[in-house]
Amino acid sequence: MFGKLFGRSAERPAADPHALPVPRRQKNGTYALRALGDARVLALVEPADAGDWDAVKTALAPFDLGRDHQVLGELADLDGVQDWIGRAVEEDKEHRATALLISGARHIIWGWEARTSALAVNVTQEQWRIFHERLHIAEEQLLEAAELRPEWVTPWRRLLTSGRGMSLGPAVNETRLDAALRRDPLDLETHIEWVSQLQPRWSGEPGQALAFAREAFAGAPDGHRLGCVIAMAHIEEWVESDNQDHLDTPQTQEELREAARRSILHPAYERRPGWQEDFNIFAMALALSAESIVAPRVFRELDGAYTPWPWKYMAQPEKAYARFRRRA
């Protein structure tokens, strides 16, 4: 059935030689993806966790941190990186740009950890002080990294996040968006960050983000992961809506089906380290729309692999993933 539906064989892609073994599953058959499901990423994360800068540099060889947002994200999310990366920034002149990029990205995450996800009115003055202090460091480091390596896109995408947190205003953030898209007009993470910034909670207008996503994906080639921006824009609309059935319409279901067919389910789609997050984005959007044709295929391809993004928008992310997986 799937072969006819999607115009190709339903066979799975060839086994990835770098894929990590599937860890022990939970009783519901799911498991949390670690190190993007890739042994090379794990070989990078482990020395970073131990503060071994020389080993980190060696393990970075297969990757381009200037373009690979997901690998950079694995380092930025790692608690403790802030304790040693400053020494690398100061002492390793040859790799200063890389150290600045990692440190800047980490300081943004670290800043939000201090602020917490509480409503602004519930954030203490001390939390705000630490938040802005860390974001200020991130801004300085990322701007220097961008100056040292002008071809990199990842500093500009991270600067969009820090700019939003520091309330630098639309003029600054639009300049940063343009800088990122000049370097990669189809960069998914930049588009997803901008979809978030266009939401009413960040002073955007209703429908603005979805219009931006549609225009962006219309210019993407078949098989490009930019299709995820459509799914993410619908998820963001659901977050903003008071109606939990907001996405449950035939029009939304069809748009999500078509986006999935043209992106993650297209033969030209490349399963890079972390591809499971692309599928999780579609899985959540399709599930929220009560779509029943493509959603089973997406969940089947995931085979139980859960990623925190974008399920963290739900109160109990892993349980929500498992529940929708059972329904699909």
Side-chain angles (χ1 to χ4, degrees), residues 155-167:
W156 295 105
R157 176 259 176 267
R158 294 281 171 167
L159 282 163
L160 282 172
T161 307
S162 59
R164 172 159 51 90
M166 296 185 72
S167 302

Side-chain angles (χ1 to χ4, degrees), residues 133-148:
E133 180 181 273
R134 292 173 181 175
L135 290 194
H136 180 71
I137 293 171
E139 288 263 319
E140 289 186 337
Q141 292 183 331
L142 291 169
L143 286 168
E144 184 178 349
E147 183 178 359
L148 291 171

